[in-house]
Amino acid sequence: MKLKEECAIFGVYGAADAAQVAYLGLYSLQHRGQESSGIITSDGDRIHEHRAIGLVAKVYDREILENLPGRLAIGHNRYSTTGFSSIANIQPLLVDCKIGKIAVAHNGNLVNAIELRRGMEMDGSIFRSTTDSEVILHLIARSRQSTREEMIMEALRKVKGAFSLVFLTTDTVMAARDTRGFRPLCLGRLDDAYLFASESCAFDIIGAQYMRDVAPGELCVLGPGGPKFMRFAEPEEPLQRCIFEFIYFSRPDSKVFGENVDKVRRKLGRRLAEESPVDADIVIAVPDSSNTIALGFAEASKIPFELGLIRNHYVGRTFIQPRQSMRDWDVRIKFNPVRGVLKGKKIVVVDDSIVRGSTMRKLVSILRQAGADKIHLRIGSPPITHSCYYGIDTPTRGELIASNHSVEAIGEYLGVDSLHYLSREGLLTCVEEPHNYCVACFSGQYPVIPDGCLHKDVFEDRTGCGEGFGVREDVGR
Ligand code: AMP
């Protein structure tokens, strides 16, 4: 079974051409998943579906969207986790069971999916995909509760870990978030239609209004009588919102966990400048994810912000490339230095995070070749020492450079003149409710331990599925 990693989900209820709306929403959530995309619609009677491997722009065309009629839709963009991908794993997943057709799209990772699946397989269940999300549909189909909502809520009480979900049936669109609120999910409104999206930036493109987040432990049902909010479980305090959404993953123009990503990111940069001042001529970002952090750094340090690296936007994130041998090539094609800006300068390079260190090592040599005199590296997050089990695609612990190297050794490996990471305390001062965040990737203190597993390496070994288990083969931007 595969861990499904970072993803985008979207839902529409009550809009003419719901598929078009979902398409636009998924387009603006492309950064959350680039491997495949799918939309399922309902015209009130029948379900229509389209899924394919590729970027949103490639997966759909006018004719495909016209063949997805209806006022209800859900959609999903999926990230790559392993070189292997199969059509059967492309979401939304759709099944036909005693309550009729039901589809689900999932962002997050279930930590007890293997156990649940093995138990059901022993009982004779047949699974069609290798994603953890299919377990949810099986649990719903097996439920003996009397109403559809009760069946879904019972299933949600059985799964553990991180899940933001959207469901579609012939007459409803629903959304749910796990009790700790790991991954974001918000509710919006467009005239008489209601929308769900992983991030609010998906509402802007359609002219919809952000209303509020789907609450942890909540099932929100959109039907003819307007939204109905139900609780499948009480929120578990403290919440475990993923702080990495602010550091790297969400778009700066989004509102996530009730805060503007742009504002939080600038604070990261300002705090970083306060924690590790430096004498330099210019501040540059590694575009795009660290742009706003670098702006915050420049503002607080009063060192001018310059565009010293230009990113080629037509190259996918390197870490979805299937073969290690292609990676270095990708870093070079992705980032090109602006020699005139860098030559002879003492530069502060701001990046959001270091995972394996391979991207930055390559970039440092590119910057040196461009004539940078001194390179002071500032990272807008603490060292990533532990793998994530809740939906961020991190490699196994042994591959994380900070899990087995000191900051000094990392600086030497990267070839920089100085290196500073934002402190964990500093990071937490940048969000409004610091106690409600998961920082397990920096601390190793996991709020929900994957059943019987202490780290990803073990998790992978024990699946025995032969496909690897959420191991990405390359990491980068
Ligand atoms: P690495 O070469 O492994 O150190 O990759 C570090 C780069 O990957 C950083 O510049 C980050 O912006 C980016 N990054 C961090 N986390 C992720 C992630 N989960 N998925 C994709 N890229 C990431």
Side-chain angles (χ1 to χ4, degrees):
M1 202 187 314
K2 278 186 178 181
L3 273 178
K4 192 179 36 41
E5 309 280 357
E6 301 127 352
C7 294
I9 57 173
F10 195 80
V12 189
Y13 179 87
D17 298 325
Q20 303 266 358
V21 176
Y23 167 75
L24 291 171
L26 292 176
Y27 219 120
S28 30
L29 296 172
Q30 185 75 82
H31 60 289
R32 297 185 71 89
Q34 293 115 35
E35 187 203 62
S36 63
S37 185
I39 293 177
I40 298 198
T41 65
S42 167
D43 60 15
D45 234 2
R46 291 179 48 216
I47 301 281
H48 309 268
E49 52 185 314
H50 181 78
R51 304 178 199 82
I53 288 177
L55 295 173
V56 173
K58 183 181 153 226
V59 167
Y60 311 97
D61 61 24
R62 188 169 293 281
E63 198 186 328
I64 288 168
L65 292 175
E66 278 165 8
N67 284 327
L68 293 169
R71 300 173 70 82
L72 282 63
I74 60 169
H76 188 265
N77 291 339
R78 180 171 184 270
Y79 226 109
S80 164
T81 57
T82 68
F84 175 86
S85 43
S86 118
I87 299 283
N89 284 341
I90 304 180
Q91 298 208 18
L93 301 175
L94 173 69
V95 293
D96 209 345
C97 62
K98 62 190 175 217
I99 55 167
K101 289 204 158 117
I102 178 161
V104 68
H106 174 196
N107 175 206
N109 287 332
L110 304 180
V111 298
N112 63 341
I114 298 176
E115 270 67 19
L116 289 170
R117 177 170 172 151
R118 286 211 176 128
M120 288 189 271
E121 281 175 338
M122 294 304 281
D123 273 358
S125 289
I126 296 166
F127 281 76
R128 291 198 322 206
S129 75
T130 55
T131 77
D132 56 346
S133 322
E134 193 180 348
V135 165
I136 300 169
L137 293 175
H138 278 261
L139 290 171
I140 296 170
R142 285 163 164 253
S143 171
R144 298 195 180 280
Q145 296 291 325
S146 48
T147 69
R148 190 170 54 190
E149 282 82 5
E150 285 299 335
M151 291 167 79
I152 293 174
M153 291 200 288
E154 185 185 81
L156 298 181
R157 282 189 288 271
K158 289 190 176 160
V159 286
K160 285 204 283 178
F163 56 87
S164 283
L165 301 165
V166 285
F167 295 99
L168 174 135
T169 65
T170 43
D171 60 348
T172 54
V173 169
M174 295 173 255
R177 242 175 112 203
D178 66 75
T179 51
R180 293 177 173 87
F182 280 101
R183 309 250 66 91
L185 184 59
C186 53
L187 172 67
R189 189 164 186 175
L190 174 68
D191 304 324
D192 292 335
Y194 289 92
L195 311 165
F196 295 116
S198 294
E199 290 177 41
S200 66
C201 67
F203 297 154
D204 300 342
I205 185 174
I206 317 156
Q209 299 300 314
Y210 165 88
M211 291 172 69
R212 69 167 176 85
D213 284 5
V214 174
E218 184 173 63
L219 175 70
C220 175
V221 185
L222 302 178
K228 206 165 66 177
F229 302 102
M230 307 165 87
R231 281 220 162 276
F232 64 86
E234 286 306 310
E236 285 181 78
E237 310 261 342
L239 298 179
Q240 300 291 338
R241 300 163 178 153
C242 171
I243 199 125
F244 218 72
E245 290 281 346
F246 288 123
I247 295 166
Y248 169 79
F249 210 53
S250 294
R251 261 172 49 164
D253 51 338
S254 283
K255 191 169 188 167
V256 157
F257 305 133
E259 293 197 61
N260 293 318
V261 177
D262 168 78
K263 289 217 169 102
V264 175
R265 252 178 224 171
R266 277 172 200 259
K267 283 191 214 164
L268 298 177
R270 287 200 289 265
R271 174 77 193 208
L272 187 57
E274 283 158 23
E275 287 188 5
S276 52
V278 59
D279 168 35
D281 304 314
I282 55 168
V283 174
I284 69 163
V286 182
D288 292 322
S289 44
S290 62
N291 286 349
T292 336
I293 306 179
L295 281 172
F297 191 102
E299 186 198 310
S301 63
K302 304 207 165 41
I303 302 171
F305 175 82
E306 290 283 354
L307 296 176
L309 279 171
I310 301 301
R311 180 178 171 164
N312 181 338
H313 285 267
Y314 305 97
V315 186
R317 290 182 185 189
T318 47
F319 93 118
I320 64 169
Q321 295 295 333
R323 286 189 303 278
Q324 174 75 23
S325 58
M326 294 174 72
R327 185 174 57 203
D328 293 350
W329 176 80
D330 275 354
V331 173
R332 276 192 179 270
I333 199 168
K334 212 155 194 186
F335 300 109
N336 206 32
V338 185
R339 279 160 220 282
V341 170
L342 303 168
K343 198 162 186 301
K345 298 275 170 48
K346 288 181 276 185
I347 61 173
V348 181
V349 180
V350 177
D351 203 358
D352 54 271
S353 56
I354 296 176
V355 183
R356 298 180 205 221
S358 40
T359 311
M360 188 48 74
R361 189 173 149 99
K362 194 87 197 159
L363 270 177
V364 169
S365 101
I366 290 172
L367 294 169
R368 293 255 187 241
Q369 282 166 27
D373 175 28
K374 293 264 185 258
I375 301 178
H376 300 285
L377 181 58
R378 297 294 179 268
I379 303 295
S381 60
I384 302 177
T385 50
H386 291 77
S387 305
C388 175
Y389 296 106
Y390 314 122
I392 291 287
D393 188 19
T394 43
T396 55
R397 195 164 171 218
E399 295 165 273
L400 294 168
I401 191 165
S403 76
N404 45 22
H405 293 89
S406 65
V407 173
E408 201 187 354
I410 297 171
E412 260 170 48
Y413 169 78
L414 299 176
V416 292
D417 296 287
S418 76
L419 166 64
H420 278 279
Y421 285 89
L422 182 63
S423 69
R424 214 185 304 162
E425 307 72 58
L427 168 67
L428 289 170
T429 61
C430 300
V431 289
E432 272 162 21
E433 295 174 12
H435 54 287
N436 277 332
Y437 282 87
C438 173
V439 289
C441 54
F442 309 123
S443 69
Q445 280 157 12
Y446 292 105
V448 193
I449 303 277
D451 280 355
C453 314
L454 288 176
H455 57 81
K456 244 181 189 169
D457 312 59
V458 177
F459 211 15
E460 281 145 19
D461 288 343
R462 63 199 290 280
T463 64
C465 294
E467 272 176 24
F469 197 103
V471 204
R472 61 183 175 184
E473 291 171 350
D474 189 13
V475 155
R477 223 163 239 278

